[in-house]
Amino acid sequence: MLVKPCIPAGFMELLPEEQIVFNSMLNTIKNAYERFGFTPIETPAIEFSEVLFAKAGGETEKQIYNFTRGDKEYCLHFDLTVPLARYVAEHFNDLTFPFRRYQLQKVWRAERPQRGRFREFYQCDIDVIGSTNPLIDAEIVSVINSVFIELNLGGFVVSINNRKLMSGFIASLGLKESSQDILRLIDKIEKQDRSSLSDEMVSLGATEEIAKQIFDFVEIDGTNDEIVAKLKALKNKDELFLTGLNELETVVSGIKSLGVPDKNYKIDLKIARGLDYYTGTVYETFLTEHGNFGSVCSGGRFDNLASYYTDEKLPGVGISIGLTRLFSQLKADGFFAKSQSVPSKVLITQMDSRYLEKCLEIASKLRTSGINTEVYLEEERIGKQFKYANKLGIPYVIVIGEEEFTKDIITFKDMSTGSQEQKTLEEIIDKLK
Amino acid sequence: MLVKPCIPAGFMELLPEEQIVFNSMLNTIKNAYERFGFTPIETPAIEFSEVLFAKAGGETEKQIYNFTRGDKEYCLHFDLTVPLARYVAEHFNDLTFPFRRYQLQKVWRAERPQRGRFREFYQCDIDVIGSTNPLIDAEIVSVINSVFIELNLGGFVVSINNRKLMSGFIASLGLKESSQDILRLIDKIEKQDRSSLSDEMVSLGATEEIAKQIFDFVEIDGTNDEIVAKLKALKNKDELFLTGLNELETVVSGIKSLGVPDKNYKIDLKIARGLDYYTGTVYETFLTEHGNFGSVCSGGRFDNLASYYTDEKLPGVGISIGLTRLFSQLKADGFFAKSQSVPSKVLITQMDSRYLEKCLEIASKLRTSGINTEVYLEEERIGKQFKYANKLGIPYVIVIGEEEFTKDIITFKDMSTGSQEQKTLEEIIDKLK
């Protein structure tokens, strides 16, 4: 009896032609991260539950894939931030700070599968640990800028805000105690109507007038310089507000020095990030030429990464790209052109299997020159061999027949134009390299 | 109360300078696989147990990380071959055959941790599915040859045998029924003494004389051509033997056409591979300049990949490199020279934080030219900044001071020689590219 071959819902599995595109996106992100000096680490997929849950709890804990072996409970990591905290605490004495690491790994969450939610997905994270310097926050925007220019998905905007500025402003309205809760409400501003948000603010101790002041504040708009000027003009005396404003100004001026085009970043006081974890700069990134993707790259600054594992205070800043979700959204959007299904640049075909030996020799020479080469090894009509190249999207085909076998000349076909030429192997290598 | 940050035994976690080496080995393998036209696929880490265990059982099943969610049992994949079988059967109509895929992923086995055994490890697999052509078996040796030349681990030998040849020889001795069991004994020939192996063969129906004939047979030695000649000279009439001999001859001649140096492969009749799964060519690979690593790359030809999932007959051939184990052996051997801990090619330092803006501008230009660049953003004495570059192994340092700030000239230091020069940014970009 046959078993039906299938995978669980919520897992993304790609055909080769899609996998090639996915891998190239992953590689683009990796290269951009390395260009800014981030160094790779990789942590085990399985960790002790008691270690990873030192911090987590509630909603997160329910979404974990966990299991018991012997007397220990283990789990699959559900993000890369908690493992980073554990890693930095564990290897503290072997690391050099500020520690700039990237990490591109799958994480797992036992969520109910739904459109755009995956149980297994790639996170592409960077963090800089061990410095409070706001210029690092600026550099992070430059990294995001490089990544999304190189991914070539059309226009994008990195929205930037500062949680100190926001909390300070809320505190100056006499709502210091509720500031986290009010930030969570601001985070919903694009999804929920003002009057119900206003009601919720009132239930947190604001008056309707104060709620309106908050809405007016987060709506402050203009160029980045104009927004900074308007914030200064408020003459707000709250110390946290002023620290935040100062950080925001440094970040924006650093981003400018780093040559990030104006159109690619913007102060947006509506970006609050729901998580209490963030304590300074926060980021979200939006694509401008695609439908409702939501933020495709988010993060922010935090005061202390690993307080559950070490007494060392570890401030830092980081971002994450959820590549599996982004890829699936782009795919659903019909964004990807049909790509090759194999990495081969050239297929060597033969008119007769007697020439196979010659084909293998040529293949070996092409490969030694670094050219991805496949030989059609089966005995088939030449037409079928060409069809195979076409189907897989291999751009060039070499044909070895009687003439090519005896002379040192090779028939070389460009599959996209259909044009066919006689060339020497050296000419072909020059062309393909 | 702090939680001790640690990971379970049997998991390999690397420091950045080791991770960089590991990743570069992984990348070398990937590039070699692609050069032969293998295409990437990736399968979920988690699969339905009833699907993955359609084939497995016994010992394997005990080593699985499995868990129940709702009414379904899931498990982490324990190799990449069963997922490949499931993938090919599931996507059969969307794939083009012969299907040449590579897959570099972690797999998990709940083994008792011991030296050289990991519970989480990378497998680097290639398989060609859908053809019985022995020239593919030859090409696989050429792939192994490229991988191990490019990994640059010193000398290596790919040992090649053919299970049909072996089974046919054993059958010709009147032991057809016991041939699998006898092959398993031959597989132990390097670890177990002859007399006890001979006793076991006798218990399987051989006489002592026949056991000696088997030992003599597997000891046949010489150059590859001499071994083939000696095998032919046996005048063995067993049909399976003759098919195997013919395949072996084709494989060896194909390997020669592919330009693999003679010293890098060898027919070895002692290589039997314990698994019944293999039905033709089998491979093991040994490093000649390292201690007892065992085979670092093994595999072989099989008749039918996915009989549990589909009625389509899918013959194929493949190999696997266990990279985590290989890396840990090389590391234990002291093989790796100290490497950089970051991918940065250059660190930009400053005499005074007033020059930071200038540093960011220069960094941006270097990065746009594709040069991995880090800026030292903290306010520290220049000596401390140089120490940082030294510690991380960053090869070049740029210094921005008063003169560099005002003029368009940059101090550029080679950290390996200590030599320091004044250069323009364009000269530096040319040098670093």
Side-chain angles (χ1 to χ4, degrees), chain A residues 143-429:
Chain A
V143 180
I144 302 174
N145 178 64
S146 289
V147 167
F148 283 91
I149 285 175
E150 287 156 33
L151 283 177
N152 203 15
L153 310 176
F156 61 91
V157 177
V158 185
S159 294
I160 304 162
N161 197 2
N162 187 294
R163 297 258 302 189
K164 291 194 188 83
L165 177 88
M166 301 300 288
S167 301
F169 179 76
I170 294 164
S172 73
L173 299 173
L175 293 166
K176 190 168 178 185
E177 301 303 308
S178 318
S179 99
Q180 295 283 11
D181 292 323
I182 288 177
L183 282 172
R184 257 190 293 274
L185 292 177
I186 292 173
D187 199 46
K188 294 181 188 164
I189 214 159
E190 305 283 10
K191 291 165 211 148
Q192 200 173 323
D193 67 283
R194 299 283 156 110
S195 77
S196 83
L197 284 173
S198 174
D199 291 350
E200 290 193 48
M201 286 183 189
V202 169
S203 77
L204 289 169
T207 61
E208 278 188 28
E209 176 52 33
I210 285 178
K212 192 175 170 303
Q213 273 183 271
I214 294 173
F215 291 132
D216 288 347
F217 178 77
V218 301
E219 293 289 359
I220 290 174
D221 207 355
T223 65
N224 292 318
D225 290 344
E226 285 166 5
I227 294 175
V228 169
K230 286 179 189 173
L231 289 170
K232 283 184 173 169
L234 291 177
K235 305 275 186 215
N236 195 312
K237 295 282 192 323
D238 183 272
E239 209 174 303
L240 198 58
F241 178 92
L242 292 171
T243 309
L245 180 52
N246 190 35
E247 284 178 9
L248 190 60
E249 209 179 346
T250 308
V251 171
V252 168
S253 110
I255 296 171
K256 198 173 290 180
S257 299
L258 283 157
V260 177
D262 283 344
K263 66 176 179 11
N264 292 354
Y265 66 105
K266 173 140 189 45
I267 299 172
D268 184 344
L269 303 179
K270 294 188 296 299
I271 300 299
R273 308 285 305 146
L275 300 170
D276 299 354
Y277 178 62
Y278 294 115
T279 53
T281 307
V282 285
Y283 317 95
E284 296 195 346
T285 309
F286 300 95
L287 302 181
T288 55
E289 294 167 31
H290 297 274
N292 260 335
F293 282 16
S295 172
V296 294
C297 173
S298 310
R301 174 163 280 288
F302 41 87
D303 274 345
N304 202 357
L305 175 72
S307 58
Y308 291 81
Y309 306 121
T310 172
D311 291 327
E312 295 285 347
K313 199 160 187 223
L314 293 167
V317 57
I319 49 157
S320 181
I321 299 172
L323 186 60
T324 302
R325 181 155 164 266
L326 174 58
F327 180 88
S328 82
Q329 288 172 318
L330 290 166
K331 185 177 150 185
D333 236 23
F335 178 74
F336 300 120
K338 192 163 163 41
S339 102
Q340 281 194 230
S341 333
V342 291
S344 304
K345 201 139 187 195
V346 59
L347 178 75
I348 304 181
T349 63
Q350 17 78 26
M351 307 292 278
D352 188 305
S353 62
R354 279 180 298 134
Y355 310 138
L356 267 173
E357 197 180 311
K358 177 86 174 177
C359 295
L360 294 181
E361 285 167 18
I362 293 173
S364 176
K365 284 177 188 154
L366 289 167
R367 287 168 183 152
T368 305
S369 305
I371 296 160
N372 295 348
T373 305
E374 186 177 339
V375 182
Y376 200 95
L377 295 167
E378 311 300 306
E379 251 180 272
E380 294 281 3
R381 283 174 307 104
I382 192 79
K384 182 152 183 201
Q385 300 181 45
F386 272 83
K387 240 187 203 155
Y388 175 86
N390 238 330
K391 199 166 167 199
L392 296 181
I394 302 175
Y396 300 99
V397 169
I398 281 173
V399 188
I400 304 299
E402 181 66 32
E403 196 187 4
E404 290 83 359
F405 185 63
T406 47
K407 297 183 202 159
D408 253 351
I409 201 78
I410 295 169
T411 300
F412 182 73
K413 182 166 180 169
D414 182 331
M415 295 299 278
S416 61
T417 63
S419 78
Q420 194 163 305
E421 289 173 283
Q422 304 264 350
K423 285 178 182 289
T424 66
L425 183 58
E426 288 62 40
E427 286 167 347
I428 292 173
I429 288 173

Side-chain angles (χ1 to χ4, degrees), chain B residues 203-254:
Chain B
S203 76
L204 289 169
T207 63
E208 276 187 29
E209 175 53 31
I210 284 179
K212 192 176 170 302
Q213 273 183 270
I214 293 173
F215 292 132
D216 288 346
F217 178 76
V218 300
E219 293 288 359
I220 291 175
D221 207 356
T223 64
N224 291 318
D225 290 344
E226 284 165 7
I227 294 175
V228 170
K230 286 180 190 172
L231 289 170
K232 283 184 174 170
L234 292 178
K235 306 270 186 224
N236 195 311
K237 294 281 190 327
D238 183 273
E239 208 174 304
L240 197 59
F241 177 92
L242 292 172
T243 308
L245 180 52
N246 190 35
E247 285 179 6
L248 190 61
E249 207 178 349
T250 308
V251 171
V252 168
S253 111

Side-chain angles (χ1 to χ4, degrees), chain B residues 207-319:
Chain B
T207 63
E208 276 187 29
E209 175 53 31
I210 284 179
K212 192 176 170 302
Q213 273 183 270
I214 293 173
F215 292 132
D216 288 346
F217 178 76
V218 300
E219 293 288 359
I220 291 175
D221 207 356
T223 64
N224 291 318
D225 290 344
E226 284 165 7
I227 294 175
V228 170
K230 286 180 190 172
L231 289 170
K232 283 184 174 170
L234 292 178
K235 306 270 186 224
N236 195 311
K237 294 281 190 327
D238 183 273
E239 208 174 304
L240 197 59
F241 177 92
L242 292 172
T243 308
L245 180 52
N246 190 35
E247 285 179 6
L248 190 61
E249 207 178 349
T250 308
V251 171
V252 168
S253 111
I255 296 170
K256 197 174 291 179
S257 300
L258 282 157
V260 177
D262 282 346
K263 66 177 179 9
N264 292 353
Y265 66 104
K266 174 141 188 45
I267 298 171
D268 184 344
L269 303 179
K270 294 190 296 300
I271 301 298
R273 309 285 302 146
L275 301 169
D276 299 354
Y277 178 62
Y278 295 115
T279 52
T281 307
V282 287
Y283 317 96
E284 296 196 345
T285 310
F286 300 94
L287 301 181
T288 54
E289 293 168 32
H290 298 274
N292 258 337
F293 282 14
S295 173
V296 294
C297 174
S298 310
R301 174 165 280 287
F302 41 88
D303 275 345
N304 202 356
L305 175 72
S307 58
Y308 291 81
Y309 306 122
T310 172
D311 291 327
E312 294 286 346
K313 199 157 187 226
L314 293 166
V317 57
I319 49 158

